[in-house]
Amino acid sequence: MPPRTHLPVNTESVDDYLKAILELSGPPGERATSNALAGHLGVRAASVTGMLQKLAAQKPSYVKYEKHHGVRLTPAGKMRALEVLRHHRLLERFLHDCLGYSWDEVHDDAERLEHFISERLEDRIAAKLGDPQTDPHGHPIPERNGALPARPEVLLSKWACGVKAVISSVSDRDPSALREMERLGLKPGVAITVEAGTRNATLLVRIGERTEPLRLSQRLAAGISVIAANRRSRQHRKIDY
Amino acid sequence: MPPRTHLPVNTESVDDYLKAILELSGPPGERATSNALAGHLGVRAASVTGMLQKLAAQKPSYVKYEKHHGVRLTPAGKMRALEVLRHHRLLERFLHDCLGYSWDEVHDDAERLEHFISERLEDRIAAKLGDPQTDPHGHPIPERNGALPARPEVLLSKWACGVKAVISSVSDRDPSALREMERLGLKPGVAITVEAGTRNATLLVRIGERTEPLRLSQRLAAGISVIAANRRSRQHRKIDY
DNA sequence: CGACAAATTTAGCCATGCCTAAAAGTATAT
DNA sequence: ATATACTTTTAGGCATGGCTAAATTTGTCG
């Protein structure tokens, strides 16, 4: 039986759904659940179901949807999601580098504008920036063809004690956390070593060349991803996401 | 009796209506008619009526609407319309100056983005450009407080023969006309004199320092506004629009 | 004035995308 | 195997902003 209403056109909402599905289904292409999507998008699960039905009914379709078993992106859907992600991260880099935004200011404006970036604007921004590899938080920018460098990132809170690491990216969702990280010198490329594990939900870490270690709240640590220090040079290898 | 549906929120559509009303009601604050708005916005007159009723029912309201007698902007509406216009023209200047757009390319992207420019982005763009006075087509950019320089512009086709004039602005709606003007050196600031009036819907004009006059099609001439050559220096006087 | 043409408004409908409440399916633990 | 908890879908509704067709108003010309 067809969905109650007719097919949706390609709208901002659709972009948001695709981006959320990309983020919630792991790299291999697992399914994303309605509930997870609802939480991520700030809408009710029932609304998600409705939208997924409509998206799946499109032809060509962006998603493969199986009732009660979640949703996956089709190649076309993955491509579109990566395009929107590229817009977002290019915009963040652009606002930061060309318009003097601090790294805690870029997310909201990029989120709003990402849906309205023409191919032309995308190309001009990328050219102006010299085809940047990452956004200001260290996240890789998908290429125009959809290639996205895969990095063996691990959350700082899961990193082994005593092993040298380098910050590869930080979460861009919490501006106040970003300001705090900025103050502490916690940014992509900086060396970091965990001195002691969780104690009262904090981590004892040594940052860069500093001698005295620092206590990091779980809130901050949860927003930091690292890679092994010696693999830093490999972070530009590209694979299909 | 209240309108059939409830009040509209502040949406892109509303911005488009306000901008259209601003453009269609002359500087003194004349009323704009439903038909003219419909034509300008590319929707049916009935849709315009519906939206005007909803806009007028808002409090505080952006418009003053009298059934069968058109609509006017309230001060708040004028302010909002000028803000959107400022976004549009700043964006055009920005795309042109910072991202290498040609002047026939800027309009469409600016039109799409103008609704999503935060105060922060507006300010950063203006600062980056050094608070520009005009967009690439010569149209004045409203200031943040809503001030807009008034210029005694006249359409080239209405300008008296033999009187020296300076191009003050050109219409940005027709990309192919803009490319043609570019080729002919017809841009803001260039001196122009009408040698002979309409003949087969063309104008004979002398451009800049060139010796041989040129035949301009009515289509091009209709997109060119001029001011008296000696008033050129006064074009930055500000008044409340 | 009266009639016609043009402009405008009303009435009723459609599509999108969200919502709540209730029904149905899935998964887990005894 | 079945009861229960949780997830997901269905059903029905609301708001926005379009549309067409039909009514109504305005304005102009004899």
Side-chain angles (χ1 to χ4, degrees):
Chain A
M1 216 179 301
R4 267 168 291 115
T5 54
H6 288 349
L7 302 176
V9 287
N10 200 350
T11 183
E12 305 146 52
S13 226
V14 172
D15 285 348
D16 288 335
Y17 276 86
L18 297 180
K19 210 172 50 146
I21 297 168
L22 178 70
E23 288 176 35
L24 292 180
S25 51
E30 297 284 305
R31 286 181 244 260
T33 68
S34 299
N35 241 8
L37 286 170
H40 199 269
L41 291 165
V43 300
R44 294 308 167 122
S47 305
V48 172
T49 298
M51 179 60 89
L52 293 183
Q53 287 172 338
K54 285 186 272 188
L55 282 179
Q58 297 244 90
K59 54 179 198 299
S61 177
Y62 283 146
V63 305
K64 184 128 192 187
Y65 167 61
E66 284 170 273
K67 213 188 261 194
H68 293 289
H69 295 287
V71 70
R72 258 183 325 190
L73 294 175
T74 63
K78 196 183 293 184
M79 199 62 195
R80 176 62 191 153
L82 284 165
E83 194 181 322
V84 178
L85 192 60
R86 173 173 165 83
H87 290 174
H88 182 91
R89 293 180 176 173
L90 269 178
L91 278 167
E92 288 198 341
R93 174 56 76 194
F94 183 67
L95 295 173
H96 182 271
D97 290 8
C98 294
L99 290 171
Y101 278 56
S102 56
W103 75 346
D104 59 294
E105 293 173 333
V106 297
H107 179 78
D108 289 357
D109 276 354
E111 188 80 11
R112 209 135 29 80
L113 294 171
E114 64 187 7
H115 307 292
F116 310 100
I117 303 300
S118 66
E119 300 273 289
R120 176 181 286 141
L121 182 50
E122 175 184 326
D123 289 347
R124 301 292 165 94
I125 288 176
K128 177 87 177 178
L129 295 167
D131 285 309
Q133 301 289 312
T134 63
D135 72 19
H137 313 103
H139 299 119
I141 298 174
E143 296 180 13
R144 277 206 63 154
N145 63 13
L148 187 66
R151 301 178 304 186
E153 278 191 340
V154 174
L155 281 181
L156 181 61
S157 47
K158 304 233 166 118
W159 193 255
C161 291
V163 183
K164 280 187 185 172
V166 171
I167 297 176
S168 68
S169 70
V170 301
S171 167
D172 66 346
R173 293 300 182 100
D174 181 347
S176 77
L178 282 170
R179 283 190 293 274
E180 226 172 310
M181 291 182 198
E182 170 101 78
R183 195 170 52 77
L184 298 173
L186 292 165
K187 59 185 181 190
V190 167
I192 189 168
T193 312
V194 179
E195 296 282 320
T198 306
R199 192 187 77 194
N200 294 336
T202 65
L203 287 184
L204 192 65
V205 301
R206 192 179 299 276
I207 301 168
E209 307 305 318
R210 285 192 229 163
T211 51
E212 77 297 359
L214 192 76
R215 279 238 158 256
L216 271 195
S217 70
Q218 187 59 34
R219 173 169 148 273
L220 281 200
I224 298 175
S225 296
V226 301
I227 56 177
N230 57 350
R231 303 189 66 170
R232 190 178 168 189
S233 58
R234 298 188 56 192
Q235 91 182 54
H236 285 164
R237 186 169 43 103
K238 306 288 181 345
I239 68 151
D240 206 47
Y241 191 63
Chain B
M1 213 180 303
R4 268 167 290 116
T5 53
H6 289 349
L7 302 175
V9 287
N10 200 351
T11 184
E12 306 146 50
S13 227
V14 173
D15 285 349
D16 288 336
Y17 275 86
L18 296 180
K19 210 172 49 144
I21 296 168
L22 178 70
E23 289 177 34
L24 292 179
S25 51
E30 297 283 306
R31 287 182 246 259
T33 69
S34 300
N35 240 8
L37 287 170
H40 199 269
L41 290 165
V43 301
R44 294 312 168 118
S47 305
V48 172
T49 298
M51 178 60 89
L52 293 183
Q53 287 172 339
K54 285 186 270 188
L55 282 179
Q58 298 243 88
K59 56 179 199 304
S61 177
Y62 283 146
V63 305
K64 183 129 191 185
Y65 167 60
E66 285 171 90
K67 212 187 260 193
H68 291 289
H69 295 287
V71 68
R72 258 185 323 193
L73 294 174
T74 63
K78 197 182 294 183
M79 199 62 195
R80 176 62 190 154
L82 284 165
E83 194 181 323
V84 179
L85 191 60
R86 174 173 165 82
H87 290 173
H88 182 90
R89 293 181 176 172
L90 269 178
L91 277 167
E92 289 198 341
R93 173 57 75 193
F94 182 67
L95 295 174
H96 183 270
D97 289 9
C98 295
L99 289 171
Y101 278 55
S102 57
W103 76 345
D104 59 293
E105 292 173 333
V106 297
H107 179 78
D108 289 358
D109 277 352
E111 188 79 10
R112 208 135 29 80
L113 295 170
E114 64 187 7
H115 308 292
F116 310 101
I117 303 299
S118 66
E119 300 273 289
R120 176 180 286 141
L121 182 51
E122 174 185 328
D123 288 349
R124 300 293 166 95
I125 288 176
K128 177 88 175 176
L129 295 167
D131 283 309
Q133 301 289 311
T134 62
D135 72 20
H137 313 103
H139 300 118
I141 298 174
E143 296 180 13
R144 276 205 64 153
N145 63 13
L148 187 66
R151 304 178 300 188
E153 280 189 339
V154 174
L155 282 180
L156 181 62
S157 46
K158 303 233 167 117
W159 192 255
C161 292
V163 183
K164 278 186 185 171
V166 170
I167 297 176
S168 69
S169 70
V170 301
S171 167
D172 66 347
R173 293 301 184 101
D174 181 347
S176 76
L178 282 170
R179 283 190 292 274
E180 225 172 311
M181 291 183 198
E182 171 102 78
R183 195 170 53 77
L184 298 173
L186 292 164
K187 59 186 181 190
V190 167
I192 189 169
T193 311
V194 180
E195 296 282 319
T198 307
R199 193 187 75 191
N200 295 335
T202 66
L203 287 183
L204 192 65
V205 301
R206 191 180 299 276
I207 301 166
E209 306 305 317
R210 287 192 227 162
T211 50
E212 77 297 357
L214 192 76
R215 278 240 157 253
L216 272 193
S217 68
Q218 187 59 34
R219 171 169 149 273
L220 281 199
I224 299 175
S225 296
V226 301
I227 55 177
N230 58 350
R231 302 188 65 169
R232 189 178 168 189
S233 58
R234 296 188 57 191
Q235 90 182 52
H236 285 163
R237 186 170 45 104
K238 307 288 181 351
I239 68 153
D240 206 46
Y241 192 62

